[in-house]
Amino acid sequence: MSPMSKSAATVQRPALAALAMVLLFTSVGVLAGGGAGALGLRAPRLDLIAQASAAIQVHLASALAAFLIGAVLLLGAKGTLSHRTLGWAWAGAMGATAVSSFFIHQVNPGGLSLIHAQSGWVVVALPLALYAARRHKVQLHRRSMTGLYFGGMFLAGGLAFLPGRLLGQVFFG
């Protein structure tokens, strides 16, 4: 593969992933009762977030930060000072997202739910992925961080938009 085609593939993968994420969230909105006509678009009910517990607010803020910083990292040049700096910020946001989830018990009142297993995995895998970067094990670092990002965004993030969940209510009623 020529350097130009490899570069093009590197740029296309995150762009396709971002498009897939938009389609996922749009389809979740339609399934949540938003209707196919206007795709259920309306002003979000931000008052529901303001009324949520501090743990949920921290979780949501750190997840949003991880989502945005992660997108920048996926699209940007690797190995640069800005990549390393943003990478540490992303790791902090992702860690805060995982840890804060252990204080949220809406799915299973008084206990942990199945989604907390993913948070446990992040708590274990994130330091290992950072260690891989420090040891210059680029492939392992790339696979680990990409898996953590897309696992968090598609699995946990996608589930957050289901009917009855907070973000489902905020965006789709």
Side-chain angles (χ1 to χ4, degrees), residues 5 15 45 66-67 69 85 109 124 131 156 160 164 170:
S5 61
R45 295 266 328 268
F67 172 72
I69 295 168
T85 303
V124 171
Y131 182 75
V170 167

Side-chain angles (χ1 to χ4, degrees), residues 4-135:
M4 186 165 203
S5 61
K6 183 177 181 182
S7 175
T10 304
V11 171
Q12 286 178 346
R13 256 182 257 139
L16 290 174
L19 176 61
M21 196 172 308
V22 168
L23 292 174
L24 171 72
F25 291 148
T26 301
S27 63
V28 167
V30 170
L31 294 174
L39 291 178
L41 297 179
R42 61 175 183 78
R45 295 266 328 268
L46 298 179
D47 61 305
L48 296 175
I49 295 172
Q51 296 167 9
S53 69
I56 290 174
Q57 291 177 358
V58 167
H59 182 73
L60 184 57
S62 59
L64 182 59
F67 172 72
L68 295 173
I69 295 168
V72 170
L73 287 168
L74 283 172
L75 294 172
K78 311 301 183 264
T80 63
L81 178 60
S82 63
H83 178 82
R84 290 190 298 273
T85 303
L86 282 174
W88 282 108
W90 180 82
M94 196 70 169
T97 302
V99 170
S100 65
S101 76
F102 292 115
F103 298 95
I104 301 171
H105 303 281
Q106 272 70 19
V107 173
N108 184 18
L112 299 178
S113 64
L114 190 57
I115 196 68
H116 288 101
Q118 184 179 16
S119 298
W121 175 248
V122 170
V123 169
V124 171
L126 187 60
L128 294 174
L130 293 170
Y131 182 75
R134 299 290 296 167
R135 291 290 184 199

